[in-house]
Amino acid sequence: RSLGAQVGVAVKPATPVGAVAHLVPLVDMVLVMSVEPGFSGQSYIEGSELKVTEVVDVAREAGCAPVVQVDGGIGPGTLGGVVAAGADCLVCGNAVFAANAPERALADIRARAEEVRASSAAEAAAHA
């Protein structure tokens, strides 16, 4: 960190959040893998948004706020759950780079994520 580097931890699909909970207060970012690491083009593992919720809860309980990033199978059809669960950053490889119009695909993903984020914030405010 003294040289400007940030610290992160990755959580694979089979790894419970509890295995890294003690590290969450010490890191700048938690990467939730929503596919098995290794190669591009895999499908999103359903239920990964639950792991995002767990990370957000662990961070809140610890009084910290690392960036929560999700990587794997993220695109317009899968981003809603992870964004609503509290993801801050999405890795959207194939959804952008395999699209016919990558710039348009990225703009659509950003717009959809902002819609979900705004809707989630409005719901949270209504329940507060």
Side-chain angles (χ1 to χ4, degrees):
R1 285 194 169 137
S2 66
L3 297 175
Q6 291 191 328
V7 178
V9 63
V11 184
K12 291 173 53 174
T15 303
V17 172
V20 299
H22 66 288
L23 298 173
V24 171
L26 306 173
V27 301
D28 301 298
M29 180 179 69
V30 178
L31 169 62
V32 175
M33 293 299 301
S34 49
V35 297
E36 287 296 334
F39 61 95
S40 181
Q42 297 178 62
S43 296
Y44 175 81
I45 296 173
E46 294 297 325
S48 295
E49 62 279 2
L50 300 175
K51 196 167 280 192
V52 172
T53 298
E54 286 183 70
V55 169
V56 169
D57 289 346
V58 166
R60 186 175 298 123
E61 290 172 18
C64 62
V67 171
V68 178
Q69 182 177 37
V70 183
D71 182 358
I74 300 296
T78 57
L79 66 80
V82 296
V83 170
D88 301 300
C89 182
L90 308 174
V91 178
C92 303
N94 274 358
V96 173
F97 296 108
N100 290 334
E103 289 178 5
R104 182 79 230 149
L106 182 57
D108 290 347
I109 288 167
R110 283 183 171 153
R112 175 73 180 121
E114 288 305 318
E115 287 172 10
V116 172
R117 190 169 283 121
S119 176
S120 295
E123 281 185 36
H127 290 100

